[in-house]
Amino acid sequence: MRHAILVLLDDQEASGYDLAREFANSIGLVWNATHQQIYLELGKLNDQQMVKYRHIPQDGKPDKKLYRITDKGRDELIRWLRKPAAAARIRDAFMVKIAGGGLADSHALLRELDELTEMRRERLATFEELAHKLDNEGRDKQLFSYLTLRRGILDQQAWLDWASEVRDALTSREDISASV
């Protein structure tokens, strides 16, 4: 997560709230983080002098902290970018449920599949809207954001294709069970 934060801060100064919003809208395509995780990591990065912040007074609210990457943080980010990335691990509880589907109620799996499918369709629509916005602004200006976004779009599309296969298989299984 530290490197995701450094990537975001390399573009511009940001508050913890701004970073959480960016995790939800951009880098969240590839890395999820809660507000609490972000603030905890910002504290560590600050202690290690990889970021620093300035206070912005606000009327009627606590002061805002705007973080920016330091030279030490940028050096760490460059060092990390030069290293090969570890293979991604998949942690998907629904896939475990499908793997154990022989013991499961197909109707319950179908209901959960429908919920997840709706969430994935919404995410796909959001990603496609962001890609369209980047296209209109000139994709080359934010090429790496666009490439990351394309990966998110393809991932959602692949999951939806897989979900269609799962639906067909579970529906067929139910049809067979009903006829016995």
Side-chain angles (χ1 to χ4, degrees):
M1 172 171 356
R2 71 185 305 123
H3 298 104
I5 290 173
L6 292 172
V7 164
L8 291 172
L9 290 176
D10 193 51
D11 286 339
Q12 65 184 5
E13 189 175 53
S15 68
Y17 175 81
D18 296 332
L19 290 170
R21 190 176 61 236
E22 284 300 311
F23 266 91
N25 295 326
S26 66
I27 205 123
L29 297 170
V30 294
W31 200 274
N32 294 316
T34 65
H35 281 71
Q36 183 178 8
Q37 291 170 320
I38 291 167
Y39 284 105
L40 184 64
E41 194 61 41
L42 281 170
K44 291 177 188 176
L45 288 167
N46 185 63
D47 291 346
Q48 296 166 353
Q49 300 174 340
M50 290 190 203
V51 301
K52 59 183 171 181
Y53 63 86
R54 62 186 174 100
H55 285 277
I56 304 295
Q58 300 187 105
D59 290 333
K61 295 189 261 184
D63 289 353
K64 182 193 297 191
K65 290 181 181 177
L66 282 182
Y67 292 87
R68 67 182 175 279
I69 192 169
T70 63
D71 289 341
K72 185 176 180 181
R74 189 166 287 107
D75 290 345
E76 166 58 19
L77 181 56
I78 291 167
R79 183 201 63 75
W80 179 79
L81 288 167
R82 289 180 176 158
K83 287 177 35 181
R89 294 186 207 161
I90 298 174
R91 293 179 56 169
D92 187 330
F94 186 70
M95 286 186 68
V96 175
K97 288 183 178 187
I98 295 299
L103 301 172
D105 172 20
S106 293
H107 292 296
L109 287 174
L110 282 166
R111 281 192 301 276
E112 190 169 351
L113 180 68
D114 288 344
E115 291 171 12
L116 292 170
T117 296
E118 182 59 29
M119 182 201 65
R120 294 284 186 142
R121 282 186 182 134
E122 289 173 6
R123 189 178 293 165
L124 177 60
T126 299
F127 294 171
E128 287 173 336
E129 182 180 318
L130 289 169
H132 182 69
K133 181 179 175 189
L134 285 177
D135 277 337
N136 288 340
E137 293 173 356
R139 175 186 319 170
D140 293 341
K141 292 179 186 174
Q142 295 186 28
L143 177 62
F144 298 106
S145 293
Y146 180 79
L147 293 172
T148 304
L149 188 56
R150 283 293 302 151
R151 171 61 169 81
I153 289 169
L154 294 172
D155 182 57
Q156 299 311 307
Q157 290 171 336
W159 193 95
L160 290 167
D161 289 346
W162 172 79
S164 180
E165 290 179 29
V166 170
R167 169 168 283 296
D168 291 346
L170 290 175
T171 302
S172 175
R173 180 176 178 222
E174 281 304 305
D175 291 344
I176 293 168
S177 297
S179 64
V180 174

